[in-house]
Amino acid sequence: VVDGAGRGVPGVRVRASALTPPTAGDPTIRDLAQELGEATTDAAGGFVLFGLDDSPWSLHVVAPTGFAEPAPVSVRGGDADVRIVLPRPEDAVVSIVDPLGRPVRGARVSGLGRSSRTPIPPTDEAGRTTLVAVSPAAVLELQVVPPPDRKELLALDLVAWRPGGPPLVLPGAQVVRGLVVDAAGTPVPGAVVTVLDGDGRRHGSRSDGAGRFVADGLAMGEVEAFAAREDTPPRVSARVRAAPGSGEV
């Protein structure tokens, strides 16, 4: 195990895991290797792992302070001169854009796979934010939430991203406006409206004094809406479908 300059790094933990799991209930040498397949580098950065057969294994390194975790290395039992380079952590810039490629200011980014606990600031005017101390080889799972004033955008949930990768595109959302009326066509104020979006998620709204309602942040696709009036007993409307882009129900 070496640093970027080729110098051995002592005290680094190296662990082997089988790429092909052993057969359940078969106590072979592979089960034993799962227990013995761990070592710590010596003063020159060298290590030896015992008990590995000649099938494929993956080597994982626990990065010491000042280094970032490298990508796993594939090996087989009997391999020699395996070289694992520990990268230094770097700051990575991620860009967030809308479906038209325009920067999204004020988006919130969070993610898995980061070693740094430094909070990630909202995106700036150029739609960019910085992830502090990230491994160049990392594959991060990022979640992006649009700013509250961008109702036409949806969140991204745990999308894979590598440092230096392309901008992340927030998917577009649709807004549905409608009118709740009774059997005589009179607007109904205060009705509870439920809208099912193209992904089947429920969104709630309530009609205003003129019987009108708005539901935003809906996934694209056909929507279905129904309303309920809080009478005694409660009355529920039939379900109404609307095609994408129709806008009003």
Side-chain angles (χ1 to χ4, degrees), residues 158-182:
L158 296 181
V159 61
W161 182 82
R162 292 179 180 272
L168 296 178
V169 181
L170 291 178
Q174 61 180 333
V175 177
V176 169
R177 297 174 175 84
L179 176 65
V180 181
V181 297
D182 61 17

Side-chain angles (χ1 to χ4, degrees), residues 32-128:
L32 182 61
Q34 293 279 34
E35 300 177 11
L36 300 181
E38 185 170 314
T40 301
T41 58
D42 58 24
F47 66 92
V48 178
L49 293 169
F50 296 97
L52 276 62
D53 59 19
D54 62 357
S55 55
W57 294 80
S58 180
L59 299 187
H60 304 265
V61 169
V62 179
T65 302
F67 293 96
E69 186 172 319
V73 176
S74 296
V75 299
R76 293 178 180 270
D79 286 352
D81 297 325
V82 175
R83 187 180 181 87
I84 302 175
V85 180
L86 291 178
R88 296 286 183 180
E90 301 175 358
D91 293 349
V93 175
V94 58
S95 298
I96 310 300
V97 299
D98 66 15
L100 297 178
R102 298 173 299 196
V104 177
R105 179 182 180 274
R108 289 281 183 178
V109 180
S110 59
L112 305 177
R114 298 173 58 237
S115 58
S116 173
R117 301 299 179 190
T118 304
I120 304 173
T123 54
D124 60 18
E125 294 284 351
R128 298 173 180 171

